[in-house]
Amino acid sequence: MTYRAVVFFDLDGTLMNPQSQLDADVRTAVHSLREQDILPVISTGRSPGEIPEIFEQAGIDTYIALNGGLVVYEGKPIYEGAIDKAMIAKMLAITESHGDALAYYNGTDFRISRLNDLVKAQYDFVSTPYPEVDPDFYKTNPVDMLLVITVDNDKRYIYPYGHELTFYRNTPYSLDTVLKGESKQFGIMTLLKKMGLEKVPTYAFGDGVNDVPMFETVDHPIAMGNGITAVKDRAEYITAKNTEGGIIQGLRHFNLLP
């Protein structure tokens, strides 16, 4: 199919409201894009298996998930960056020695190495149910992203393994962790190249630190009014907050909605 535009949407603080749901007007707007030959794409650090109802509500089956660790086009994976099991074992050992926790993610499942107050604080913060505890999940399942549950031990992970992994602090309680070189930028470039969409105009909505690489890739970066300064500084346009109709306003500003 020939598209006249591709629009990438972050989820938390962008497409979703504070209750991690899609408002009715946002659902309607996203669905209407396809009627205008515009491809909507979710671009998130989350896993589809973590919040399947959001993907269903949005009607979107093309997405960059796990900060570029998984790229799917029309329901079919076109890239998956599984983290080496030996590396995961090393990361797990560090979390255990510091009282932290390690969550394992792929496109369909997520598990946690232990359940403690810090883990509960993380998942309460993002309005997501607590994962099932299974510290050995990685031994028999692919893991495309790790979530290091820690408040102030960042250097314990980044210093020894920063040359092999990329770390994004997206909440006060966790570090998104993927293979070195993976990012939303990597995911977008992979999607556009493999699907022959490199000449199609691209737009992106985002608010957080892991959206910076995405903003440096698309033609038209759009920052949410609730976004961090680094995102706003890179934006072509700053729309209203996600709780104040920012998605609709931004789409209309670029004539992507009637």
Side-chain angles (χ1 to χ4, degrees):
M1 180 176 179
T2 301
Y3 295 103
R4 70 179 183 89
V6 182
V7 185
F8 298 92
F9 295 100
D10 173 52
L11 287 181
D12 291 280
T14 302
L15 202 64
M16 297 194 302
N17 62 29
Q19 291 73 46
S20 295
Q21 297 296 317
L22 296 187
D23 292 329
D25 58 344
V26 171
R27 293 199 301 269
T28 299
V30 172
H31 280 275
S32 74
L33 294 178
R34 287 191 177 276
E35 298 171 6
Q36 303 173 73
D37 297 328
I38 297 171
L39 177 64
V41 182
I42 288 176
S43 181
T44 181
R46 298 259 205 164
S47 162
E50 183 182 4
I51 44 172
E53 70 280 1
I54 297 301
F55 286 77
E56 182 177 351
Q57 289 174 15
I60 294 177
D61 59 3
T62 297
Y63 50 87
I64 294 151
L66 306 174
N67 291 304
L70 177 66
V71 183
V72 172
Y73 179 74
E74 294 185 345
K76 298 179 180 179
I78 60 174
Y79 172 82
E80 186 173 6
I83 301 173
D84 180 72
K85 289 177 172 44
M87 172 60 68
I88 296 174
K90 294 175 183 177
M91 294 286 287
L92 179 60
I94 299 176
T95 64
E96 291 180 338
S97 67
H98 291 287
D100 295 331
L102 194 65
Y104 317 110
Y105 286 82
N106 58 37
T108 57
D109 296 300
F110 66 114
R111 299 288 189 274
I112 194 79
S113 62
R114 68 173 79 183
L115 186 62
N116 55 24
D117 288 343
L118 190 59
V119 171
K120 293 178 181 179
Q122 159 62 22
Y123 287 94
D124 289 344
F125 185 82
V126 296
S127 302
T128 301
Y130 305 148
E132 180 182 335
V133 175
D134 183 359
D136 295 327
F137 176 81
Y138 74 95
K139 295 180 180 179
T140 55
N141 295 274
V143 174
D144 303 322
M145 187 181 82
L146 298 168
L147 196 67
V148 180
I149 313 295
T150 186
V151 172
D152 52 14
N153 288 323
D154 301 32
K155 294 179 181 179
R156 301 291 184 180
Y157 305 94
I158 297 172
Y159 277 8
Y161 300 118
H163 62 294
E164 297 177 72
L165 301 169
T166 296
F167 299 85
Y168 300 98
R169 178 166 284 283
N170 282 319
T171 80
Y173 309 103
S174 65
L175 293 169
D176 291 9
T177 306
V178 293
L179 291 176
K180 191 70 176 179
E182 289 182 347
S183 65
K184 291 187 178 184
Q185 178 184 55
F186 170 84
I188 289 172
M189 293 175 66
T190 299
L191 175 67
L192 296 178
K193 183 176 181 179
K194 289 195 173 186
M195 296 300 105
L197 300 171
E198 293 169 294
K199 295 183 180 181
V200 178
T202 53
Y203 302 77
F205 288 78
D207 73 307
V209 63
N210 65 339
D211 295 318
V212 171
M214 176 167 70
F215 274 31
E216 294 174 343
T217 309
V218 299
D219 299 317
H220 305 286
I222 304 159
M224 306 304 294
N226 50 285
I228 64 173
T229 300
V231 168
K232 291 180 177 178
D233 286 347
R234 291 165 172 80
E236 176 181 343
Y237 178 73
I238 300 174
T239 189
K241 296 179 180 179
N242 67 318
T243 56
E244 298 174 356
I247 293 294
I248 310 300
Q249 178 183 318
L251 289 172
R252 285 181 174 156
H253 175 82
F254 287 97
N255 298 313
L256 298 172
L257 281 181

